[in-house]
Amino acid sequence: MLNIVLHEPEMPANTGNIGRTCVAAGARLHLIEPLGFKLNEKMLKRAGLDYWDKLDVIVYDDYADFQKKNPGAKIYMATTKAQKTYCDVSYEDDCYIMFGKESAGIPEEILVDNEETCIRIPMIGDIRSLNLSNSVAIVLYEALRQHNFETMNLEGHLHRLHWKSE
């Protein structure tokens, strides 16, 4: 199982969207407090639609609590400050992919301690960053692709309608 970690997320709509993506991808969501919203907030539930109750989510008091409860975890840090892109690494089955809060990203002191596992999404020009929920989807689905989308539905089915021509 892949793990998505949000370090102090601020916007309930982003976290709701990410929760929905985690349900669709079979990933666990880890939330590191403080959060910029309450978990029962309407915007969070609206963005997550009716998937929030299916979400495997764990909440931590702070980063130290997260580290204590996940000793030895392989954690990739998504940051615009990384030298490697998200496609340059091989994601382990049970790895963690961490994203920072919308306004500031992952704190510099955490990044410095984990520089070898920092990854970035390439962007053109002076763009500061992508939307958090988009960033999570991009990196999570690359990790899933590397594992051949195991246990996921790979085929869709069209419903053939009989159209009446006049």
Side-chain angles (χ1 to χ4, degrees):
M1 171 183 284
L2 293 168
N3 297 274
I4 296 299
V5 182
L6 302 183
H7 186 273
E8 301 179 4
E10 300 166 315
M11 299 179 170
N14 279 337
T15 301
N17 287 332
I18 292 164
R20 183 177 179 180
T21 299
C22 285
V23 171
R28 178 175 292 134
L29 180 61
H30 303 260
L31 301 175
I32 299 175
E33 294 185 322
L35 309 179
F37 49 86
K38 303 275 188 239
L39 286 177
N40 62 356
E41 198 163 310
K42 188 195 291 190
M43 288 291 292
L44 179 74
K45 302 292 185 181
R46 183 179 298 150
L49 292 175
D50 56 347
Y51 298 99
W52 195 257
D53 64 332
K54 297 171 180 59
L55 178 63
D56 183 357
V57 62
I58 302 171
V59 181
Y60 303 90
D61 293 335
D62 52 30
Y63 183 65
D65 184 38
F66 168 78
Q67 287 183 302
K68 179 181 165 189
K69 292 178 179 168
N70 298 285
K74 178 71 176 224
I75 306 170
Y76 294 96
M77 307 273 176
T79 174
T80 58
K81 299 170 183 171
Q83 297 300 309
K84 293 183 279 196
T85 73
Y86 71 101
C87 296
D88 292 335
V89 299
S90 296
Y91 300 94
E92 297 82 358
D93 284 334
D94 58 350
C95 71
Y96 293 70
I97 308 167
M98 181 182 285
F99 298 83
K101 63 180 160 185
E102 291 88 340
S103 66
I106 299 170
E108 190 88 15
E109 59 271 15
I110 295 174
L111 295 175
V112 168
D113 289 343
N114 296 280
E115 188 173 356
E116 68 283 351
T117 58
C118 287
I119 56 171
R120 67 176 286 117
I121 299 170
M123 292 174 280
I124 294 174
D126 296 335
I127 302 300
R128 276 193 329 271
S129 64
L130 295 172
N131 173 276
L132 180 60
S133 61
N134 292 338
S135 296
V136 169
I138 289 168
V139 178
L140 175 57
Y141 271 80
E142 169 59 16
L144 292 167
R145 184 197 66 76
Q146 288 183 11
H147 292 277
N148 299 311
F149 301 107
E150 292 171 12
T151 72
M152 299 182 85
N153 294 330
L154 297 178
E155 295 180 6
H157 302 284
L158 293 174
H159 299 286
R160 306 248 182 241
L161 298 177
H162 299 287
W163 294 96
K164 187 177 184 180
S165 61
E166 295 184 36

